[in-house]
Amino acid sequence: MTGATVWLTGLPSAGKTTLAHALAERLRAEGRRVEVLDGDEIREFLSAGLGFTREDRHTNVQRIGYVAELLARNGVLALAPVIAPYADSREAVRKRHQAEGTAYLEVHVATPVEVCSVRDVKGLYAKQAAGEISGLTGVDDPYEAPADPDLRIESHTQSVQESAAALHALLTERGLA
């Protein structure tokens, strides 16, 4: 089977990881080899010591992109639910995949910041509002939304299963499911 990287970008609490796990469950049930490269887990295990400066965020995204490409070139569908706030960092990952001849899809989980702040899965928006943290992507730190993603999912207007089905349909259309 052909591997691929599916990069799910979006704001904190947009639904990226939830969507990745729902899709992974469906794909595994269909017999596909799938790995979810969760941004929080990668920060803990591969990018420990990195902060949230632009340079550190870029380094983190490149590390994840490298691991995703390795998996993908070996027949695994690598799902990367990672904020990756800067377009140039995501583009560098795309170019690495292109150079290796590995399929790469960019999915924008386009949930408005107002919805994300209500979901606030990790309490980040509340901490930022209370002045306990700064540099929250999409609030007081930049988020550069993809101009032309392979798929844009508005998770606030559909269920997780509907979002996963839309992404599965794209993978099927591209011969990757």
Side-chain angles (χ1 to χ4, degrees):
M1 284 240 137
T2 303
T5 294
V6 179
W7 199 283
L8 297 104
T9 180
L11 296 173
S13 297
K16 301 175 300 295
T17 302
T18 302
L19 173 56
H21 284 291
L23 179 63
E25 184 178 319
R26 178 173 178 178
L27 290 165
R28 285 184 187 116
E30 295 171 357
R32 287 293 272 137
R33 293 171 53 211
V34 181
E35 288 295 334
V36 176
L37 299 175
D38 181 271
D40 293 330
E41 291 176 7
I42 298 291
R43 270 207 175 264
E44 180 180 350
F45 296 107
L46 288 182
S47 294
L50 290 180
F52 291 91
T53 64
R54 183 180 179 112
E55 296 77 22
D56 283 356
R57 289 176 190 260
H58 179 78
T59 298
N60 186 50
V61 167
Q62 296 317 297
R63 287 178 183 174
I64 297 167
Y66 176 75
V67 171
E69 198 281 323
L70 284 175
L71 289 167
R73 90 166 84 136
N74 285 285
V76 176
L77 274 174
L79 308 180
V82 179
I83 295 169
Y86 299 108
D88 60 344
S89 294
R90 295 189 307 265
E91 185 58 24
V93 171
R94 178 186 296 278
K95 285 181 178 172
R96 173 189 299 280
H97 281 71
Q98 287 173 338
E100 296 295 333
T102 306
Y104 177 88
L105 301 175
E106 184 177 69
V107 177
H108 181 206
V109 183
T111 309
V113 69
E114 299 79 16
V115 174
C116 294
S117 67
V118 170
R119 289 180 181 171
D120 204 9
V121 177
K122 298 172 203 148
L124 297 175
Y125 293 93
K127 287 179 182 175
Q128 190 277 337
E132 296 172 24
I133 63 169
S134 62
L136 182 59
T137 301
V139 178
D140 60 351
D141 212 53
Y143 176 72
E144 299 170 355
D148 190 28
D150 294 282
L151 180 64
R152 193 175 314 274
I153 291 178
E154 297 187 4
S155 72
H156 58 293
T157 65
Q158 59 191 24
S159 72
V160 172
Q161 293 311 318
E162 289 169 330
S163 296
L167 185 44
H168 189 275
L170 176 64
L171 289 170
T172 301
E173 174 187 308
R174 302 274 174 98
L176 301 168

